[in-house]
Amino acid sequence: MKVLAFETSAKSASVAVVENGQVLASAYQCTGLTHSRTLMPMLEAMLKNSELTLNDMDLLAVAAGPGSFTGLRIGVSAVKGLAFAADKPCCAVSTLQSMAAPLSHMEGSLIICAMDARRQQIYNALFTVKEGKLLRECPDRAVSLAEVAGDIQKNEKIRTMRKIIVGDGAELCYDYLSESGIACEMAPAMLLRQSAVGVALAADAAETLSAAALCPVYLRISQAERERNARLAKEDKT
């Protein structure tokens, strides 16, 4: 099965085609340019250079969240439009699970996914690796680093495992866990950041959706909504 995958959840953007676990083509950029400017040209160039077309794809997959609200909307909108046009099925992949997927060969390890969510929080999920499969230890969540450290320390099953941190919040998480006395390491640089290859690998475990049903998963309300709620609460008091 050929999977065309998109990743736009953070600063980097990438696209990839993966067939039965093998990467056929991929494109990646992390130059600070907006995803709305780079995503579709990357896709077009990748497909052209690999002599593939949208019609060759069996499934379209996207990192649907958590992550940057704007980035997620760009990626999901692109997949919805392409899926509608080509009448292809699609799937919404957890950004955090897609980050862990390229590390599913790290048998017996705890994979700590960490994205910087700002406001003194990270987007986080924990996965253990058994027989080449990722086993989820908690749902996707927005939590403090103290909560992550506490969950690891009190869980006898994962406390003694080799701990590998992945994601754009890996350094932040590594520093905190190390200072808390939790031995851990960061994933190799080539596997550290979110990528469309990881999205494609994680798509096997995701539910297939129609283009109409595909939507982002934010976990938290947007800054605009927070400011609106604070304003309304202030008005109610007066």
Side-chain angles (χ1 to χ4, degrees):
M1 180 175 72
K2 288 188 178 69
V3 179
L4 174 60
F6 297 74
E7 219 300 331
T8 57
S9 67
K11 181 180 178 181
S12 63
S14 56
V15 291
V17 178
V18 174
E19 183 175 23
N20 301 325
Q22 179 182 355
V23 181
L24 301 184
S26 66
Y28 177 97
Q29 73 84 25
C30 188
T31 59
L33 299 176
T34 61
H35 300 339
S36 58
R37 176 179 171 183
T38 61
L39 186 64
M40 298 312 289
M42 275 200 305
L43 172 64
E44 182 179 6
M46 180 190 72
L47 292 178
K48 180 179 179 180
N49 291 336
S50 58
E51 296 187 344
L52 293 167
T53 70
L54 188 58
N55 288 330
D56 293 326
M57 306 303 152
D58 299 298
L59 178 69
L60 276 60
V62 63
S68 157
F69 283 35
T70 301
L72 295 177
R73 284 193 288 268
I74 290 170
V76 169
S77 296
V79 170
K80 286 174 76 75
L82 292 169
F84 268 126
D87 192 24
K88 297 287 183 178
C90 51
C91 66
V93 174
S94 158
T95 306
L96 297 167
Q97 186 162 348
S98 74
M99 289 156 49
L103 295 167
S104 59
H105 63 289
M106 302 301 295
E107 185 68 24
S109 298
L110 173 69
I111 310 301
I112 304 170
C113 302
M115 293 180 69
D116 187 358
R118 307 195 182 269
R119 301 177 64 225
Q120 300 182 324
Q121 288 187 323
I122 60 168
Y123 292 125
N124 167 257
L126 303 174
F127 296 90
T128 52
V129 183
K130 184 176 181 180
E131 298 178 356
K133 302 291 184 181
L134 294 176
L135 303 179
R136 183 179 282 276
E137 298 295 332
C138 70
D140 291 355
R141 56 191 183 167
V143 293
S144 67
L145 289 166
E147 289 178 84
V148 176
D151 286 348
I152 294 172
Q153 288 170 328
K154 69 185 181 184
N155 188 321
E156 186 176 351
K157 172 186 173 182
I158 64 177
R159 190 171 57 227
T160 58
M161 286 182 168
R162 179 183 181 183
K163 302 168 187 66
I164 304 172
I165 310 173
V166 64
D168 58 21
E171 185 173 358
L172 183 70
C173 189
Y174 172 83
D175 289 344
Y176 188 92
L177 294 183
S178 297
E179 291 171 3
S180 301
I182 298 175
C184 57
E185 59 192 280
M186 292 198 296
M190 68 184 73
L191 300 177
L192 189 63
R193 304 297 180 189
Q194 296 90 316
S195 76
V197 171
V199 174
L201 295 175
D204 286 343
E207 179 184 359
T208 300
L209 303 169
S210 67
L214 185 67
C215 61
V217 179
Y218 297 126
L219 287 189
R220 297 192 316 200
I221 63 173
S222 67
Q223 181 177 349
E225 289 175 290
R226 290 197 303 271
E227 292 174 352
R228 176 179 179 275
N229 291 342
R231 186 176 67 253
L232 291 176
K234 185 176 179 179
E235 290 173 355
D236 288 342
K237 289 181 180 180
T238 58

